[in-house]
Each structure stands twice: as structure tokens, then as C-alpha cells.
Amino acid sequence: MNKKFTLVALAFVMVVMGALSAPTAQAQEKTKLRLMGWSGSEAENTSLNKVIADFNASQDKIEAVFEPVPDYETVLQNSLVSGDVPDVFYVPAQRFPDLVKSDALMPIGDKLENPEDFYPALVETFSDKGTFYCPPKDFSVLAIQINTEMFKAAGVEAPKTWDELRAAAEKLTTDTVAGIVYGPSFDRLGAFIYAAGGEVTNSDLTEMALNTDEAKSAFEFYSGLYLDGFARTPSDLGAGWGGEAFGKGLAAMALEGNWVVGFLADQYPDLKYETIELPAGPTGKQGSLAFTVCYGIGKKAKNPEASLTLLNYLVGAEGMKTWTDGTGVLPSRMSVAAEFVKTFPDREVYLKSAEFARGWRFVSGFSKVEDKANEQLALLFADQVTVEDAISDIEKVGNAVLKGE
């Protein structure tokens, strides 16, 4: 064998061996995923990026990135119209019906790991006609915050019923302090409607259901506290919102959610207060409202399997623990709650309230109904309409929306 042939043969073998040992371009490339949402607080952004980094470290074929965008609703809508849809994106509860109606969401509830572990109210919020579409990333729920020093000085116990709430508000009201602070807001009154045994709409969301004795009693109680001088709005007290009024000592009680905890700790660290569940209504039933957001995958997702892998990590026990430990927001998985309470004992009452809370979500266009309800509640607070007339006006708008008019 001549030398030239030997060198050629050796070169050929080296090329073949190199080709076999080198990774292919396809093996080197990772599936790139975009998670789009809005920018939260610094703690929220840091925690979510930590979850994403942990996910990426666990993968050899997928790499995700969080894309916070301003004017999120507009950007999401433009993405859906253009077809340039992010792989995973936030879906606010009130936007969920629109996306289902436009067939923009992939139903993935049956593909989630341990879906029965999510709080039932949150599953119901992101379900349509029995189909669970997308998993809740976390949630907030209403409760009552009470100034313990004021309660002690007045000799008042934490209220457990509407009657006790009214009596406490009356006794705690002074010339400078309101018994309780809340606004003429439908997304606060709703908790009282449910506690009274009432409903906002019928079960299939085709007709309003406020014209009942139960719902009327909620309207009367909620507005009555204000008209009798035992409740005040934040603006009445010169505050921007209920948490600020409560923190300044301008109200003995507030009707807010768990978002108030961090605010009070930061702005009013010396305030002595505790949180209690919303008092039971006339029939002994409790009610509250849960506000939430889910992680959605588009119906025409380019990387559905990889997106589902990311999503299962985001709402899995490990990912959710990292997220909630860093932010203090409420975990949507019941199995994460026990460890969460050890870290955030002051939020336990909010998690307990999830057991009787209802998701605040209706149908596409229902914001018109909420606007009308807020308008009528403001008129009720001003004693310019009756409860019957307020309900009648709200129902007219609501029935039109539910009929698609």
C-alpha cells in the first residue's frame, strides 16, 4: 500500500470518526420558549426569574425566558391577532372568557400534573363547560383586617357574623375613625352576596340573579353600614385606598385582600393588627372572592409539548414554592399551603378563606356590568337610589351582556 493511499485512508477515517463523535446541530439547539406577562414588583420579577432559571437548569432540550411587557392586555391582543403568540402567557380571570370564546386557548387541564391539588374555586374560575383550561399561578382573596389596639380599647371582639360586624363598626366609629373602610365596589359587595346565599348570575351564566331576597339583603347590609355612618370610603378619609386608610389609623377595620400585608409591613411596620375571615351572613354561610391569573398556552402554539413541560414546572410543587416563598403571594396548590404558612403565618387566614371563596369571573364583556354596579353602589352610598332600583338597573345591563347584545 503506497504512502499516498494510506494518508487518504487515514484522513477519511478521521473525518468519519469526528462526524460520529461531534454533536449534531439539532442536538445542540434548545427549544426556546417565551413566557409573557406583566412586570410586577421587584420581588415578583426576581422570584419568577429564579423559577425560570431553575427550570432551565433542569433541562437539556428547553430554554425559557420571561418577557415582562408594558400595557400587557394590548400587547397580548396584538400577539393573538398577528399570530406571534408567546409560548406561555398570563391570562387574567376576567380575560379568560374572551380567550375561550375566540378559541385562542389550548385546554390543558387534563395534561397537568396532579390537577386535583388546585383549590376548587380556582379550577372553576378557569373552566368552561366542564373543561379545565389553564392552571392558576397564585391567587388573592378578601378578608377583614382589624386594628387590635382599637378593638381592645373599645372592648370589642372580632366579629364572626354580620350582626357582630355591624355592632363592632358602630362601637368603633368616632369623629376621627371609621368603623370600617371600603368602597362602592362590586368586587367587594360580591362577597356579601355569596355569604347571604345569593348569586350574581344563574349557574349557566345566561341570566342575572340579583333580584332575590338574599342578594337584596347583601345590598342593604353593605350600603346600610355606610348610610348609618359606620363605614367610610377611602376618599372620605383622604386616602388613596383602604389599606392606606387602615394603616394611618383612620379606620378600625378594612375589607382588603392579602395584597395589603406587604404594604402594611413596609409602610406601617408599627401597626398592630390581625386578619379575620369575612363574617358569616344571615344563614351562617361565609363568602369571599378569589382573584387569580392562570398560565395559558395558545391554541396554535408552536411548541405545545415543551410549553406544557415549562408550565408543569411553574405550577408544580417545586416551582410554586420558589415563587410563593419569594413573593408571599398565595399558592394555588393546596399541597404547598402547609409549608407556605410556616414561612408566612400571617397569611394563613387568607388560605383558609379559599375554602369558601368564589372566583370573581363571569363572561366576555361583563366589565360593563361591574361598571354599572359600581355606579349604582355609589348612588346607594349617596342615598340617591333604592336598592330595588339599583338592582333593576344592574340587571338590565347584565342581561343584555349575557345575551350577547
Side-chain angles (χ1 to χ4, degrees):
M1 182 178 295
N2 62 45
K3 184 176 181 180
K4 181 177 181 180
F5 179 81
T6 301
L7 291 173
V8 170
L10 179 61
F12 176 75
V13 170
M14 291 176 67
V15 169
V16 172
M17 292 299 291
L20 290 175
S21 62
T24 64
Q26 183 177 7
Q28 289 177 326
E29 293 179 359
K30 290 185 176 183
T31 300
K32 307 289 186 180
L33 297 181
R34 298 161 53 213
L35 165 61
M36 191 174 81
W38 51 78
S39 180
S41 66
E42 182 177 350
E44 288 177 348
N45 292 339
T46 299
S47 294
L48 184 53
N49 280 314
K50 175 67 166 59
V51 176
I52 295 296
D54 290 346
F55 169 77
N56 289 339
S58 73
Q59 301 293 312
D60 56 10
K61 296 181 180 179
I62 305 172
E63 184 175 345
V65 62
F66 174 49
E67 295 182 355
V69 297
D71 196 10
Y72 176 76
E73 292 279 350
T74 301
V75 174
L76 176 61
Q77 182 61 32
N78 291 340
S79 297
L80 293 169
V81 171
S82 69
D84 183 25
V85 184
D87 299 282
V88 179
F89 50 92
Y90 291 5
V91 179
Q94 294 295 60
R95 188 67 194 279
F96 172 74
D98 296 320
L99 298 181
V100 171
K101 185 177 181 180
S102 61
D103 200 28
L105 280 181
M106 180 183 296
I108 54 173
D110 60 344
K111 298 179 177 65
L112 296 170
E113 298 171 4
N114 198 14
E116 65 277 2
D117 187 34
F118 294 108
Y119 284 98
L122 307 182
V123 172
E124 181 181 358
T125 298
F126 295 116
S127 296
D128 183 75
K129 296 180 176 62
T131 299
F132 180 28
Y133 272 78
C134 52
K137 73 181 185 71
D138 52 47
F139 72 104
S140 297
V141 67
L142 292 176
I144 297 258
Q145 297 77 34
I146 66 173
N147 185 308
T148 52
E149 291 185 331
M150 291 183 183
F151 268 68
K152 183 178 180 180
V156 178
E157 297 293 327
K160 296 182 179 180
T161 66
W162 282 10
D163 287 343
E164 291 177 2
L165 177 61
R166 179 183 173 84
E170 180 177 5
K171 191 167 185 179
L172 290 160
T173 297
T174 69
D175 291 340
T176 57
V177 176
I180 186 169
V181 58
Y182 55 66
S185 304
F186 201 40
D187 60 4
R188 298 294 187 272
L189 169 65
F192 291 84
I193 292 174
Y194 293 137
E199 296 289 339
V200 176
T201 72
N202 61 5
S203 59
D204 56 3
L205 302 175
T206 59
E207 189 175 5
M208 295 295 292
L210 293 175
N211 192 21
T212 64
D213 290 341
E214 292 81 6
K216 287 179 182 178
S217 71
F219 273 83
E220 290 168 350
F221 180 81
Y222 193 81
S223 61
L225 273 178
Y226 184 86
L227 290 171
D228 290 337
F230 310 138
R232 283 292 172 259
T233 68
S235 59
D236 290 338
L237 302 174
W241 65 294
E244 180 187 357
F246 182 71
K248 288 181 174 179
L250 301 175
M253 292 181 281
L255 174 58
E256 296 292 344
N258 45 285
W259 52 80
V260 79
V261 178
F263 170 79
L264 293 176
D266 181 58
Q267 299 295 318
Y268 305 97
D270 297 327
L271 179 69
K272 302 295 189 298
Y273 81 100
E274 66 180 45
T275 305
I276 63 171
E277 297 172 359
L278 278 166
T283 63
K285 182 178 181 179
Q286 286 180 278
S288 188
L289 303 181
F291 308 99
T292 183
V293 173
C294 82
Y295 288 114
I297 296 177
K299 189 68 173 289
K300 298 179 180 179
K302 298 175 183 177
N303 306 293
E305 293 303 320
S307 297
L308 186 61
T309 299
L310 168 61
L311 195 148
N312 267 312
Y313 186 86
L314 290 170
V315 298
E318 181 179 350
M320 186 168 293
K321 186 177 187 306
T322 299
W323 166 244
T324 57
D325 280 357
T327 60
V329 297
L330 305 180
S332 56
R333 282 193 180 275
M334 293 181 284
S335 62
V336 180
E339 286 298 316
F340 177 82
V341 169
K342 291 180 182 178
T343 305
F344 301 100
D346 54 355
R347 290 160 171 81
E348 183 175 15
V349 66
Y350 296 104
L351 285 172
K352 288 184 176 180
S353 296
E355 297 173 7
F356 52 82
R358 298 276 291 273
W360 192 244
R361 190 274 292 175
F362 295 100
V363 301
S364 177
F366 205 78
S367 59
K368 295 179 182 177
V369 187
E370 293 192 62
D371 290 343
K372 174 58 70 171
N374 292 342
E375 170 196 293
Q376 291 301 306
L377 282 171
L379 292 174
L380 275 174
F381 278 27
D383 201 18
Q384 294 180 5
V385 296
T386 65
V387 166
E388 290 75 16
D389 288 342
I391 289 176
S392 176
D393 280 2
I394 297 168
E395 288 219 322
K396 286 178 184 177
V397 174
N399 285 326
V401 168
L402 295 175
K403 291 176 182 176
E405 297 177 0

